Amino acid sequence: MQRKLDKIMAICEKRGFFFPSAEIYGGKAGFWTYGHLGTLLKRKFENEWNLDENFYEIEDCNLLPEQVFVSSGHLEHFRDPLTECKKCHFRFRADELIEDELNINVEGIKAEAMDKIIRDNNLKCPKCGSRELTKVRWFNMMFELKVGAVGEETMYLRPETAQSAYLSFKREFYALREKLPIGLAIIGKAYRNEISPRQVFFRLREFTQAELQIFFDPKKINEVENWNKVRRYKLRMFLAKNRKSKKVVEMSCEDVVKKLNLPKMYVYYLAMVQRFYLNILKIPKEKFRLKELTEKERAFYNKIHYDVELFLETLEGFKEVAGIHYRTDYDLRNHQEGSKESMEVINEKKEKFIPHVLELSFGVDRNVFSIVDIFFKEEKERNLFVFPRKLAPIEVAIFPLVRKDKLPQKARKVFSLLKDSGFIVFYDEKGSIGRMYRRMDEIGCPAMITIDYDSLKNDDCTLRDRDTMKQIRVKIDELPQTILKFLNGEKLTKLGKIFK
Amino acid sequence: MQRKLDKIMAICEKRGFFFPSAEIYGGKAGFWTYGHLGTLLKRKFENEWNLDENFYEIEDCNLLPEQVFVSSGHLEHFRDPLTECKKCHFRFRADELIEDELNINVEGIKAEAMDKIIRDNNLKCPKCGSRELTKVRWFNMMFELKVGAVGEETMYLRPETAQSAYLSFKREFYALREKLPIGLAIIGKAYRNEISPRQVFFRLREFTQAELQIFFDPKKINEVENWNKVRRYKLRMFLAKNRKSKKVVEMSCEDVVKKLNLPKMYVYYLAMVQRFYLNILKIPKEKFRLKELTEKERAFYNKIHYDVELFLETLEGFKEVAGIHYRTDYDLRNHQEGSKESMEVINEKKEKFIPHVLELSFGVDRNVFSIVDIFFKEEKERNLFVFPRKLAPIEVAIFPLVRKDKLPQKARKVFSLLKDSGFIVFYDEKGSIGRMYRRMDEIGCPAMITIDYDSLKNDDCTLRDRDTMKQIRVKIDELPQTILKFLNGEKLTKLGKIFK
């Protein structure tokens, strides 16, 4: 689907969704800029990302001291297998070469084993075709830098936001009255020195994560207050044993607990995450699955790990956009050892323990790109984004039918009315009404309002639905309320009589 | 006022406003974490920071290629004068030594001149007292790092968000229909390798900026559509000639244009910025001033430069929190030369030109800290933050009078009602009502609601005003509306009868 990808990218670059960072200097792989529409769409995703009403957002530095990553294990383990062509000196990831050529997943295996696979299968440089490749060596993906007047201290750009929540846990535990569970959310930048950035927003060097770390008493992992609300809710499980058949099975939360022996709390959050994708982001069910990771595939500190995968036409398959990780007490325990600060808390029974952590981790850019992929639609006469109405970057567009006879003045008044009511509004008067409609269709604006000659007489306007292109007339003083209902999902026919 | 600073910091660290980043590892100078209350306060500042309704927000990477900073001049000019004590090897800024000891501002002068001042005045190491200091040398404040599998590319963490707006200008100009003026806003991180971070949030190594770059046709610098709205508005000008007397003069915008020969557009934004501080942030007038910078003090590319300064008791003086910079076409012209991409646009008269830029630049952390300083209040029986109601991190607190007889259940219902109505709400039931009030006073929560025995009978509750400690009774079904009015500034007496 390169064709579809090209089409989407052309629209996104032209209309201000996103484009390569520092593009006028040729850009750098893995770095992107969000234009004004992309920024609005990203903000909307971030604001809707509200998986549990009992969490608190914190904000930390992107630069953290070396000791943090000694304790977290990143300094030792956060690395990719690198190989180099001896002929053309192209450097690339050995695991990707093997995956691309042989369709073997080599996650978790040693460098020597990769060497052997490459040799045994006679794999060659993807650039020049030479078969002389250097031995696979490990390459740490964190960006290192020196801080201070003569660079006396080493710090790193964080490769995930999670560590910041662990570092702040004790402070926040006390500030939040010493109760568990506590959810600490961070929406912020993370950095990885990827050897080969690719697949648009799916392997970036600078990216935004939205991560929620839930700290809890491991003895209560099967106590969930709202369990009844999800008990019968069906999860779309893509189990490891079905990897070959690609079969997704729908199982109730209750069954998942019983049959897969997963803790209730973990399954509850699987349900919360699935609901977010299906109900809030309105992802079609068949494009969503919860993929089980095997022990080999998951990080060694993750006891349970499922990924959220969405099917993207442009990238021709299911792609990971989020993960639900049961990290146990791995992180807090290591920071306790590394910092000598106690991470223990005391429960009602006066038992001392280190809390366990359940992590909900989302790649914001990947999700934004997925929304753009999934809601792109090609019709005979137009290309458009059929974003869920509440996610649309621009919510309402206002046009005068013509640029004379005081129609623009009237239209500008309606613009102000809606802007003051808190909607994200765009005014346009350049071109024919048909062309103005098309331009707003293209960026996925769900509601379009036209001021015509009747508007001057009757103080009303037309409201056009992006998806059906149908129109109704609405009194201007009722417009804010009508638009609110419309953005909340009400059908146009329920709001007025279709006349066109 | 070290005592006041200590008090504020103790509350802020304990209650979750902010604390040193990676504190469990001892922290690093110039890096801070926002806890859950600080994050809410910061978000509120960022959301209120809306100086002009016609600007668009974009988001770019914090890491940018070297060429960007060659063109912008940062690689050559963004530097501090560094000296080192030959005895104890303490490194510090020569300009600060001179300023601290002699009260001379040396901005813009050469390293040799600073050497001479230090020698002539026999200045000594602030740490060990030795008079043997190395020659002053320049130290670039950008953080440099290597990107790619073997570090083949040099990139820098941006020292200001501004460059990202310039890099995106052409893309956004076309996406926004080729009209000037265009305002591109960025709220994001910036980084400076400060030699000596100090003064809490006033010299950080990682910090958040909110910057608005307004691109305009220089021929129209005296055309302002809404000029009549500010014409008679009085600006609090702290002119360079009054530096010694410290006199602030109030001048109407009209007078500022005439007497100081400043462009109308520039003065219009001075007014917008002052209004933001006085009307939205509710900074007391006498703590606000617009400080004129002399040619020597301002960056060489700034043709006009005023700083916003606020008086902070904790730091014992007026401190810079924002700047209004007329950067001319300096940046776009240099990027045009450096990238060979044309930055020219065409106006209605078919004239080609490079737009000029007016920059409104705010240090978000500095502003957050200023709010904390200015609204801290010590009373006989309590310490509290008297934040403007709309800026308060927690807007409403809800308590049951006692923890029995179904009062907690009722209180939780009210909690949900207000949460669903969009307010930022906190529930507490731990301790006596008096202690719960004090705890919320301390973090500046403006509205407190108590559910008592009468609430069960009459379906009402008490609403307490943080500042006056007076109370009224409110029907629960009228609560969302009443709270909304209260947060918008309505006096308690207008909302009900004071009974306590």
Side-chain angles (χ1 to χ4, degrees):
Chain A
M1 295 302 282
Q2 187 60 35
R3 201 189 57 91
K4 185 179 167 185
L5 182 59
D6 292 343
K7 259 191 197 166
I8 289 180
M9 292 311 283
I11 295 172
C12 286
E13 295 190 354
K14 184 177 164 210
R15 301 301 304 271
F17 281 91
F18 38 73
F19 37 85
S21 179
E23 190 183 16
I24 61 171
Y25 291 98
K28 295 269 176 250
F31 295 97
W32 289 81
T33 305
Y34 286 93
H36 69 288
L37 293 179
T39 301
L40 284 167
L41 184 59
K42 182 165 183 272
R43 293 280 166 279
K44 288 219 165 181
F45 176 86
E46 291 168 351
N47 291 335
E48 295 293 339
W49 182 78
N50 189 338
L51 302 160
D52 185 340
E53 59 171 26
N54 294 313
F55 74 68
Y56 291 89
E57 192 184 342
I58 63 170
E59 188 181 311
D60 194 15
C61 292
N62 299 336
L63 265 177
L64 291 170
E66 184 164 38
Q67 302 99 300
V68 172
F69 301 109
V70 172
S71 297
S72 73
H74 282 88
L75 211 57
E76 191 180 340
H77 299 295
F78 195 68
R79 53 190 198 172
D80 272 341
L82 175 74
T83 184
E84 182 178 337
C85 171
K86 284 182 185 170
K87 204 167 156 201
C88 79
H89 299 290
F90 181 55
R91 293 180 191 90
F92 51 96
R93 278 174 60 173
D95 57 336
E96 285 184 357
L97 177 72
I98 295 169
E99 215 178 304
D100 290 351
E101 295 301 315
L102 307 172
N103 209 10
I104 302 174
N105 185 336
V106 290
E107 231 164 306
I109 79 166
K110 292 192 175 159
E112 297 77 42
M114 278 185 251
D115 275 334
K116 190 170 179 319
I117 296 174
I118 289 173
R119 254 191 339 265
D120 289 354
N121 291 282
N122 219 357
L123 298 185
K124 56 192 185 194
C125 168
K127 210 165 183 181
C128 79
S130 158
R131 289 178 207 278
E132 287 202 59
L133 305 178
T134 63
K135 276 199 176 169
V136 173
R137 63 185 172 88
W138 294 103
F139 170 72
N140 195 298
M141 287 157 72
M142 286 196 294
F143 287 112
E144 176 189 331
L145 46 80
K146 299 292 182 184
V147 175
V150 287
E152 62 267 41
E153 297 181 44
T154 300
M155 292 179 83
Y156 291 89
L157 283 168
R158 63 182 181 196
E160 58 174 11
T161 69
Q163 296 305 321
S164 289
Y166 310 143
L167 297 174
S168 307
F169 168 66
K170 253 332 192 25
R171 276 276 182 207
E172 284 293 314
F173 178 68
Y174 288 116
L176 288 165
R177 319 289 310 278
E178 303 175 44
K179 275 182 301 190
L180 290 183
I182 280 177
L184 296 182
I186 299 179
I187 298 177
K189 295 277 186 138
Y191 297 81
R192 295 179 185 178
N193 193 1
E194 297 284 357
I195 295 170
S196 44
R198 56 184 195 174
Q199 293 191 321
V200 216
F201 281 19
F202 276 75
R203 195 166 301 149
L204 299 175
R205 284 170 162 157
E206 174 168 344
F207 51 100
T208 300
Q209 287 188 318
E211 295 192 311
L212 173 60
Q213 312 296 325
I214 301 162
F215 300 86
F216 65 96
D217 180 346
K219 287 199 176 156
K220 296 186 180 169
I221 197 166
N222 281 302
E223 293 173 28
V224 174
E225 207 186 319
N226 296 317
W227 181 249
N228 275 330
K229 286 188 186 167
V230 302
R231 204 161 56 90
R232 302 210 165 146
Y233 182 70
K234 292 205 165 167
L235 297 176
R236 293 182 51 79
M237 305 293 281
F238 181 45
L239 301 175
K241 65 176 183 186
N242 294 331
R243 211 56 83 75
K244 272 198 179 149
S245 70
K246 296 191 177 170
K247 203 176 77 180
V248 170
V249 287
E250 295 209 352
M251 297 170 75
S252 72
C253 287
E254 208 163 40
D255 277 352
V256 170
V257 169
K258 270 189 230 155
K259 294 183 184 162
L260 304 180
N261 200 20
L262 292 181
K264 266 188 184 171
M265 192 178 155
Y266 186 86
V267 177
Y268 175 77
Y269 282 103
L270 286 183
M272 289 295 104
V273 169
Q274 180 173 313
R275 275 194 177 155
F276 169 67
Y277 278 97
L278 303 193
N279 300 356
I280 306 291
L281 301 187
K282 315 260 188 212
I283 303 297
K285 209 167 89 167
E286 66 282 2
K287 294 195 173 186
F288 174 96
R289 69 186 187 189
L290 293 164
K291 177 185 180 181
E292 180 189 14
L293 268 71
T294 63
E295 201 181 335
K296 235 184 184 175
E297 292 166 335
R298 58 186 192 245
F300 65 96
Y301 50 83
N302 279 336
K303 201 168 163 184
I304 314 172
H305 180 162
Y306 278 72
D307 275 340
V308 173
E309 290 194 331
L310 301 181
F311 184 81
L312 303 184
E313 268 185 43
T314 51
L315 301 180
E316 296 176 20
F318 276 93
K319 293 290 161 187
E320 173 201 344
V321 293
I324 298 100
H325 314 133
Y326 177 23
R327 295 177 75 132
T328 72
D329 63 355
Y330 172 82
D331 302 278
L332 288 186
R333 184 172 296 281
N334 280 316
H335 283 302
Q336 173 171 293
E337 275 170 30
S339 70
K340 310 295 175 209
E341 291 278 339
S342 165
M343 291 294 151
E344 286 183 327
V345 304
I346 298 174
N347 67 12
E348 321 76 65
K349 294 181 188 161
K350 306 288 171 209
E351 299 165 321
K352 263 192 179 178
F353 64 96
I354 294 178
H356 280 213
V357 170
L358 183 66
E359 173 184 67
L360 311 184
S361 174
F362 292 69
V364 175
D365 318 273
R366 290 174 173 200
N367 278 283
V368 168
F369 183 79
S370 300
I371 289 167
V372 163
D373 170 291
I374 287 171
F375 296 107
F376 182 68
K377 201 173 165 194
E378 294 180 84
E379 293 182 357
K380 237 190 224 164
E381 297 191 359
R382 58 178 190 167
N383 292 335
L384 73 166
F385 289 113
V386 291
F387 297 132
R389 291 175 191 164
K390 279 174 85 174
L391 277 185
I394 304 282
E395 293 166 344
V396 195
I398 294 141
F399 321 117
L401 182 67
V402 291
R403 239 167 120 180
K404 57 183 183 181
D405 299 332
K406 300 211 167 156
L407 295 186
Q409 285 88 327
K410 181 92 180 165
R412 282 200 177 272
K413 271 191 193 159
V414 173
F415 172 82
S416 297
L417 169 73
L418 292 175
K419 183 142 195 165
D420 293 344
S421 307
F423 298 108
I424 305 174
V425 203
F426 187 81
Y427 175 85
D428 196 4
E429 54 173 38
K430 234 176 168 181
S432 72
I433 194 76
R435 285 194 53 183
M436 292 195 283
Y437 282 153
R438 286 288 173 275
R439 279 201 292 261
M440 295 315 285
D441 285 340
E442 193 181 51
I443 62 166
C445 174
M448 293 175 224
I449 286 164
T450 303
I451 298 296
D452 55 20
Y453 285 101
D454 284 346
S455 306
L456 300 180
K457 277 183 280 174
N458 308 325
D459 206 36
D460 65 0
C461 59
T462 70
L463 166 61
R464 174 182 178 272
D465 174 6
R466 171 197 66 200
D467 298 345
T468 62
M469 296 191 269
K470 301 281 184 210
Q471 297 183 44
I472 60 171
R473 288 200 84 85
V474 182
K475 287 280 175 199
I476 285 170
D477 57 3
E478 289 169 10
L479 201 50
Q481 243 186 315
T482 305
I483 296 284
L484 188 65
K485 286 183 195 160
F486 181 75
L487 293 181
N488 279 329
E490 192 68 277
K491 279 192 179 159
L492 199 66
T493 46
K494 296 255 175 176
L495 296 169
K497 215 183 102 198
I498 306 289
F499 74 90
K500 199 174 172 183
Chain B
M1 295 305 284
Q2 186 61 33
R3 200 188 58 89
K4 185 178 167 185
L5 181 60
D6 291 343
K7 260 189 196 167
I8 289 180
M9 292 310 284
I11 295 172
C12 285
E13 294 190 355
K14 185 179 164 208
R15 299 301 305 272
F17 279 92
F18 36 75
F19 38 85
S21 179
E23 190 183 15
I24 62 171
Y25 291 99
K28 294 268 177 250
F31 295 97
W32 289 82
T33 305
Y34 285 93
H36 69 287
L37 293 180
T39 301
L40 284 168
L41 184 59
K42 183 166 182 271
R43 293 279 167 279
K44 288 219 164 181
F45 175 86
E46 290 168 354
N47 290 336
E48 295 293 339
W49 181 76
N50 190 336
L51 301 159
D52 184 338
E53 59 171 25
N54 293 313
F55 74 67
Y56 291 88
E57 193 184 340
I58 64 170
E59 188 182 311
D60 194 15
C61 292
N62 299 335
L63 266 177
L64 291 171
E66 183 164 39
Q67 303 97 301
V68 172
F69 301 110
V70 172
S71 297
S72 72
H74 282 89
L75 210 59
E76 191 180 341
H77 299 295
F78 194 66
R79 55 188 195 173
D80 271 341
L82 174 75
T83 182
E84 183 179 337
C85 171
K86 285 182 183 168
K87 206 170 154 199
C88 77
H89 298 290
F90 180 57
R91 291 179 193 92
F92 51 94
R93 278 174 60 174
D95 56 337
E96 285 183 357
L97 178 72
I98 295 169
E99 214 176 307
D100 290 351
E101 296 300 315
L102 308 171
N103 208 10
I104 301 174
N105 185 334
V106 291
E107 233 165 303
I109 79 166
K110 290 190 175 165
E112 297 78 39
M114 277 185 253
D115 275 333
K116 191 170 178 318
I117 295 174
I118 290 173
R119 255 193 336 268
D120 289 353
N121 293 282
N122 218 359
L123 297 184
K124 57 192 186 193
C125 168
K127 211 167 183 180
C128 78
S130 157
R131 288 177 209 280
E132 286 202 60
L133 306 177
T134 63
K135 277 199 175 169
V136 174
R137 62 185 175 87
W138 293 104
F139 170 72
N140 194 299
M141 288 156 70
M142 285 196 296
F143 286 112
E144 175 186 333
L145 44 81
K146 298 291 180 185
V147 176
V150 285
E152 60 269 36
E153 296 182 43
T154 300
M155 292 180 83
Y156 292 88
L157 283 168
R158 64 183 179 194
E160 58 172 14
T161 68
Q163 297 306 321
S164 289
Y166 309 142
L167 296 174
S168 306
F169 167 67
K170 253 328 189 30
R171 276 276 183 209
E172 285 293 314
F173 177 70
Y174 288 116
L176 288 165
R177 321 288 310 279
E178 303 176 47
K179 272 182 305 190
L180 290 186
I182 281 178
L184 296 182
I186 299 179
I187 298 176
K189 296 275 189 145
Y191 297 81
R192 294 178 186 180
N193 193 2
E194 295 284 357
I195 296 171
S196 45
R198 56 184 194 173
Q199 294 191 320
V200 215
F201 281 18
F202 275 75
R203 194 166 305 144
L204 298 174
R205 281 168 165 159
E206 173 167 344
F207 52 98
T208 300
Q209 287 188 318
E211 295 191 311
L212 172 61
Q213 314 294 326
I214 302 161
F215 301 84
F216 65 96
D217 181 345
K219 285 199 178 155
K220 296 186 179 170
I221 197 167
N222 281 302
E223 292 174 28
V224 175
E225 207 185 320
N226 295 317
W227 181 248
N228 276 329
K229 287 188 186 168
V230 302
R231 202 161 58 89
R232 301 213 166 142
Y233 182 70
K234 291 205 165 165
L235 299 175
R236 293 181 51 77
M237 306 292 280
F238 180 45
L239 302 176
K241 65 176 182 183
N242 294 331
R243 210 55 80 80
K244 273 197 180 153
S245 70
K246 296 191 175 170
K247 204 176 77 180
V248 170
V249 287
E250 295 209 351
M251 296 171 73
S252 72
C253 288
E254 206 164 40
D255 277 352
V256 170
V257 168
K258 269 189 229 155
K259 293 182 184 162
L260 304 180
N261 201 19
L262 293 179
K264 267 189 183 172
M265 191 177 157
Y266 186 85
V267 176
Y268 174 78
Y269 282 103
L270 287 183
M272 290 293 105
V273 169
Q274 179 172 316
R275 275 192 176 155
F276 170 66
Y277 278 96
L278 303 193
N279 300 355
I280 306 293
L281 302 186
K282 314 261 189 211
I283 304 297
K285 207 168 94 167
E286 65 282 4
K287 293 194 174 188
F288 174 96
R289 67 185 189 191
L290 294 164
K291 179 187 178 180
E292 181 189 13
L293 268 69
T294 62
E295 202 182 333
K296 235 182 182 176
E297 291 166 334
R298 58 185 194 245
F300 65 95
Y301 50 82
N302 280 336
K303 200 166 163 187
I304 314 172
H305 180 163
Y306 279 72
D307 276 341
V308 173
E309 291 194 328
L310 301 180
F311 184 82
L312 303 185
E313 268 185 43
T314 52
L315 301 179
E316 298 176 18
F318 275 93
K319 294 289 161 188
E320 174 200 341
V321 293
I324 298 99
H325 314 133
Y326 176 23
R327 297 176 73 133
T328 72
D329 63 355
Y330 173 82
D331 302 279
L332 289 186
R333 183 173 296 282
N334 280 315
H335 283 302
Q336 173 171 292
E337 275 170 29
S339 70
K340 309 292 172 213
E341 289 281 337
S342 165
M343 293 293 153
E344 285 182 327
V345 303
I346 297 173
N347 66 13
E348 321 78 63
K349 293 183 189 161
K350 307 286 171 211
E351 299 164 320
K352 262 194 180 176
F353 63 97
I354 295 180
H356 280 213
V357 170
L358 183 64
E359 173 184 64
L360 312 184
S361 174
F362 292 68
V364 175
D365 317 273
R366 293 174 171 200
N367 278 282
V368 168
F369 183 79
S370 302
I371 289 167
V372 163
D373 171 290
I374 288 172
F375 295 108
F376 182 67
K377 200 174 165 193
E378 295 181 85
E379 293 181 358
K380 238 192 222 164
E381 297 190 359
R382 57 178 190 167
N383 293 333
L384 73 165
F385 289 113
V386 291
F387 296 132
R389 291 174 189 163
K390 280 175 84 174
L391 278 185
I394 305 283
E395 292 166 345
V396 195
I398 293 141
F399 323 118
L401 182 67
V402 291
R403 238 166 121 180
K404 58 182 182 181
D405 299 333
K406 300 210 167 154
L407 295 187
Q409 287 87 328
K410 182 88 180 170
R412 283 201 176 274
K413 270 190 192 158
V414 174
F415 172 82
S416 296
L417 169 73
L418 291 176
K419 186 143 194 164
D420 293 345
S421 306
F423 298 107
I424 304 173
V425 203
F426 189 80
Y427 175 84
D428 196 4
E429 54 175 36
K430 234 179 170 179
S432 72
I433 193 76
R435 285 194 54 184
M436 292 196 284
Y437 281 153
R438 285 290 172 276
R439 278 201 292 260
M440 296 314 285
D441 285 341
E442 195 181 50
I443 63 165
C445 174
M448 293 174 224
I449 285 163
T450 304
I451 298 295
D452 55 20
Y453 285 101
D454 285 347
S455 306
L456 300 180
K457 276 183 282 175
N458 307 326
D459 206 36
D460 65 1
C461 59
T462 69
L463 167 60
R464 174 182 178 273
D465 173 7
R466 172 197 66 200
D467 299 344
T468 62
M469 296 192 269
K470 301 281 186 213
Q471 297 185 41
I472 61 170
R473 288 201 84 86
V474 183
K475 288 279 173 200
I476 285 170
D477 58 3
E478 290 170 11
L479 203 49
Q481 243 187 317
T482 306
I483 295 284
L484 189 65
K485 283 183 195 161
F486 181 75
L487 293 179
N488 278 328
E490 193 67 276
K491 281 192 180 160
L492 198 66
T493 47
K494 297 252 175 176
L495 297 169
K497 215 183 100 199
I498 307 290
F499 74 93
K500 200 177 172 180

